[in-house]
Amino acid sequence: MRMNRIIVSLLTLPFLMWSCSVIDEDLSDCGRDNRIDYRLRLITNIQAELDDQLHSAEEQHVAEALKAALSGIFTETAHDVSLSFYGTDSVRAKHETHIMDASQTSYTIYLPVREYMHLALANVADAANVSVSDDNKAQHSRLLQADGDTVASHTTGLFSARLPMRVTEEESQTFKVDLYMANSAAALVIDTAGVAGIQDIRIYSSGFANSFVVRDSLYTYNRNPIVRSVPVGMSGGHHVCHYTVNFPSFQRPVSRATAEYWRFIAYVTVADGSVTENIISIEKPLLPAHLKVVKMRMKDDGSLVPQTNDVGVSVTLNWKQGGVYEPEL
């Protein structure tokens, strides 16, 4: 008789464990539906920078065209969100994706009672050359830029958030999560008034992070690729404008010998077919969610003269293809 009672107890144990997820009367040992409010927070200098740098009447069409070109980057709307919840062992316990298409929304998410680190990302689904990497563990999750010596600009404004959460046995809990922008943009505006015979202008930038660690909100600078610019279409006028979208710049000068934080590189092919190289050094860091506009005036030989403070330029006439710039880290 005693042996029979032991067998019955062992047989019913799996049912008791499984029944936690199907009995409605008491979920205190299992989990709760939690309301999580998400809000995109675009805190940026874009309008102030455009007003400050492109304020003349003849520059207004440049400012309007650049702002329109960057409207999908400096956005107040999250198209998609990726939501990850990590246990105290830092292993991901739950992952959901949603189409948000709003500046703020709420989701009800069921989570077992325990402590979590919640990491959220927005606008990663259409980020053509930035991917989410190593996100099975909280401390490794990152936004990783595509590898290569020369890479394309980012195609979306990337937003992230992190929030420690403790799901308790209380009947209802609400968590609030604010997502902030992780990348930034830089624009080079060139005044070509009076210059004739220019055949081609190629513009790049460099000096930026290549990945972003989501949990710690830290940037890594393992590589320093050249970022290919995007031309801004404009009708009329005598300005040329290109921009790049990338992670923020180095937060300290890249060389002990200079005050440079990051740079533009402009190759101008002039009338006789020769190429003038302009290495434009910017002496202030580019911060997350910020736009930096650098203005230059072009001379007949393709050289560029700064029209923006805290900018230097090194010019090489009749430039020939050579080495790749690698800053001192």
Side-chain angles (χ1 to χ4, degrees):
M1 183 67 68
R2 181 179 179 184
M3 182 175 295
N4 291 338
R5 284 198 298 268
I6 293 174
I7 293 174
V8 170
S9 298
L10 292 174
L11 289 175
T12 56
L13 181 59
F15 173 78
L16 293 174
M17 296 174 62
W18 170 80
S19 65
C20 179
S21 62
V22 296
I23 297 177
D24 295 332
E25 287 77 4
D26 183 8
L27 295 178
S28 62
D29 293 331
C30 305
R32 293 291 183 190
D33 285 331
N34 301 275
R35 172 176 164 167
I36 307 181
D37 298 335
Y38 294 93
R39 179 176 60 163
L40 213 68
R41 298 290 308 278
L42 178 63
I43 302 176
T44 178
N45 73 328
I46 180 171
Q47 191 59 56
E49 181 71 1
L50 293 173
D51 292 343
D52 182 56
Q53 294 295 328
L54 302 172
H55 51 77
S56 70
E58 62 180 7
E59 293 171 337
Q60 284 302 299
H61 76 291
V62 182
E64 292 170 3
L66 179 57
K67 185 175 182 179
L70 293 173
S71 61
I73 305 297
F74 293 93
T75 177
E76 297 184 7
T77 300
H79 169 62
D80 54 274
V81 288
S82 175
L83 312 177
S84 295
F85 301 85
Y86 299 86
T88 54
D89 58 358
S90 292
V91 175
R92 186 162 68 180
K94 190 178 185 69
H95 178 235
E96 293 188 3
T97 58
H98 298 272
I99 298 300
M100 184 169 162
D101 282 338
S103 60
Q104 58 185 37
T105 193
S106 298
Y107 298 111
T108 299
I109 298 177
Y110 179 87
L111 292 168
V113 173
R114 61 188 298 191
E115 292 184 358
Y116 297 91
M117 171 57 74
H118 175 35
L119 303 182
L121 295 168
N123 296 337
V124 296
D126 296 328
N129 60 334
V130 178
S131 60
V132 183
S133 177
D134 298 328
D135 56 347
N136 285 326
K137 287 199 171 185
Q139 69 269 31
H140 296 154
S141 179
R142 68 184 60 219
L143 292 171
L144 182 63
Q145 185 173 271
D147 203 1
D149 293 330
T150 303
V151 300
S153 291
H154 299 178
T155 56
T156 64
L158 301 166
F159 290 76
S160 74
R162 62 231 28 95
L163 179 71
M165 297 173 54
R166 184 167 180 255
V167 177
T168 68
E169 296 180 1
E170 298 175 7
E171 290 188 1
S172 63
Q173 288 179 272
T174 299
F175 298 94
K176 297 185 181 298
V177 178
D178 289 338
L179 296 105
Y180 294 91
M181 191 171 177
N183 49 355
S184 47
L188 183 63
V189 177
I190 303 174
D191 185 349
T192 64
V195 180
I198 298 301
Q199 298 183 28
D200 184 43
I201 301 175
R202 291 176 293 129
I203 296 171
Y204 306 87
S205 64
S206 69
F208 309 111
N210 67 299
S211 71
F212 173 69
V213 181
V214 181
R215 187 193 68 175
D216 301 322
S217 191
L218 292 175
Y219 295 92
T220 60
Y221 302 84
N222 301 324
R223 296 180 60 84
N224 182 31
I226 305 297
V227 182
R228 190 179 300 110
S229 73
V230 179
V232 177
M234 293 181 291
S235 58
H238 48 80
H239 288 90
V240 173
C241 180
H242 286 231
Y243 70 86
T244 64
V245 181
N246 33 255
F247 288 125
S249 73
F250 291 103
Q251 298 304 296
R252 56 178 176 79
V254 298
S255 170
R256 296 183 181 91
T258 71
E260 175 189 337
Y261 285 83
W262 55 282
R263 61 173 51 179
F264 277 114
I265 308 103
Y267 298 100
V268 181
T269 305
V270 296
D272 63 2
S274 65
V275 176
T276 299
E277 178 193 57
N278 297 269
I279 299 178
I280 304 161
S281 302
I282 292 81
E283 297 175 357
K284 286 187 175 180
L286 181 62
L287 303 176
H290 275 56
L291 167 69
K292 176 62 178 177
V293 175
V294 175
K295 296 196 303 181
M296 310 291 288
R297 180 175 55 82
M298 184 179 291
K299 298 169 67 174
D300 291 336
D301 59 5
S303 61
L304 301 178
V305 179
Q307 293 184 303
T308 300
N309 294 331
D310 302 309
V311 170
V313 61
S314 173
V315 177
T316 302
L317 301 176
N318 197 26
W319 173 85
K320 303 297 182 182
Q321 180 73 46
V324 177
Y325 164 69
E326 289 289 350
E328 182 181 351
L329 299 179

